[in-house]
Amino acid sequence: MDSREYLSLAAISPAQASHIRLDGENRCATCDDRTCLHVCPAGVFAWDESGERPLVCWQRCLECGACELVCPRGIIKFSYPRGGHGVINKC
């Protein structure tokens, strides 16, 4: 079973507010690595060239927390969504 098949076993019930916070996103503009754009299996992060900042589509988060772990500047703050929201496993 490849990763796309595993992703089909998860449903997401997003909360009304983001559970991923950027603490000092203006510092992202000078980040050379931008690992957050590459590590997320759900593609939560995208780069806004005009605003020189990351865009966060938290509604598609799979709650792995990798984004916070790989951010070299400690800007990304991940927490789990409040009860009743987030990833729902179908298996």
Side-chain angles (χ1 to χ4, degrees):
M1 185 178 271
D2 74 16
S3 62
R4 288 175 296 225
E5 290 176 292
Y6 282 116
L7 289 176
S8 70
L9 298 175
I12 300 174
S13 173
Q16 295 297 316
S18 179
H19 60 284
I20 300 171
R21 193 179 84 243
L22 299 178
D23 191 18
E25 74 179 45
N26 59 332
R27 293 179 14 213
C28 294
T30 58
C31 180
D32 294 327
D33 298 332
R34 296 184 183 154
T35 51
C36 61
L37 302 179
H38 308 289
V39 73
C40 180
V44 168
F45 297 90
W47 189 254
D48 176 10
E49 291 292 340
S50 63
E52 293 188 333
R53 64 186 184 90
L55 301 174
V56 182
C57 186
W58 51 270
Q59 297 91 336
R60 63 196 324 174
C61 179
L62 295 172
E63 302 172 23
C64 69
C67 55
E68 183 176 42
L69 294 173
V70 301
C71 180
R73 298 176 182 213
I75 293 168
I76 299 172
K77 304 299 180 196
F78 170 83
S79 61
Y80 290 100
R82 62 184 182 85
H85 296 282
V87 174
I88 302 163
N89 291 308
K90 296 186 216 177
C91 55

